[in-house]
Amino acid sequence: MTINEKQDELISDFSFMDEWMDKYEYIIQLGKDLPLIDPKYKTDDNLIKGCQSQVWLHTDLVDGKLIFTADSDAVITKGLVSLLVSVLSGHTPKEIAESEIYFIDEIGLKSHLSPTRSNGLLSMLKQMKIYGLAYQVKSQQ
């Protein structure tokens, strides 16, 4: 699936829930389902700057595609990073760097997250796009 197809699927999944408590529970469940990050990647170098909670993000380049693993010490934040991982992991650095991420607005996350969580989510997305750009530049050298 393309990045946009994955975003559209998430938007569809969230559209079945009317109440935000249900959506929060779904986000928390997604975090619980996130594959565990190898403990050796829980380092200061992999901490996302700008998050109130601790969020670790690691990436590997496998067969030309970036594979993200992540974790957080907060359940909602872990769910939020799992949303980004599900959309962006498994795509080329170019696809990630050039992607337009619209599902955050479409499912109403920006308006239902606290300012600190919203900033953290944007910091996670920014870091993932930076990885995409860095790997893209590296492959062109």
Side-chain angles (χ1 to χ4, degrees):
M1 288 174 66
T2 67
I3 289 173
N4 285 352
E5 288 170 340
K6 288 181 179 181
Q7 291 187 88
D8 292 341
E9 184 177 70
L10 271 178
I11 292 166
S12 176
D13 291 347
F14 274 85
S15 73
F16 291 108
M17 295 169 261
D18 294 326
E19 300 296 321
W20 261 94
M21 285 312 296
D22 295 333
K23 293 179 183 187
Y24 283 128
E25 286 177 26
Y26 183 60
I27 291 169
I28 289 168
Q29 186 57 50
L30 291 173
K32 289 178 181 176
D33 295 341
L34 185 67
L36 293 176
I37 190 171
D38 190 317
K40 71 181 179 186
Y41 297 128
K42 283 188 168 185
T43 64
D44 286 345
D45 289 343
N46 287 333
L47 273 174
I48 301 289
K49 312 300 182 258
C51 287
Q52 184 177 7
S53 306
Q54 289 189 306
V55 180
W56 297 271
L57 178 69
H58 176 74
T59 188
D60 285 308
L61 185 66
V62 179
D63 297 328
K65 296 182 179 180
L66 291 181
I67 306 300
F68 292 103
T69 55
D71 196 6
S72 176
D73 61 352
V75 291
I76 293 241
T77 307
K78 187 172 180 175
L80 294 173
V81 76
S82 76
L83 290 171
L84 293 173
V85 167
S86 72
V87 168
L88 295 174
S89 191
H91 294 280
T92 67
K94 181 178 182 184
E95 289 169 334
I96 293 167
E98 295 177 359
S99 66
E100 180 187 331
I101 302 302
Y102 54 84
F103 82 90
I104 295 169
D105 288 332
E106 289 290 323
I107 64 177
L109 271 178
K110 266 191 183 170
S111 59
H112 286 88
L113 292 176
S114 67
T116 53
R117 278 218 174 94
S118 188
N119 288 340
L121 178 62
L122 295 177
S123 294
M124 292 178 234
L125 175 59
K126 180 180 173 185
Q127 185 60 50
M128 293 171 99
K129 287 182 140 289
I130 287 170
Y131 276 130
L133 190 59
Y135 276 96
Q136 186 181 4
V137 168
K138 189 176 180 180
S139 72
Q140 293 171 349
Q141 292 178 347

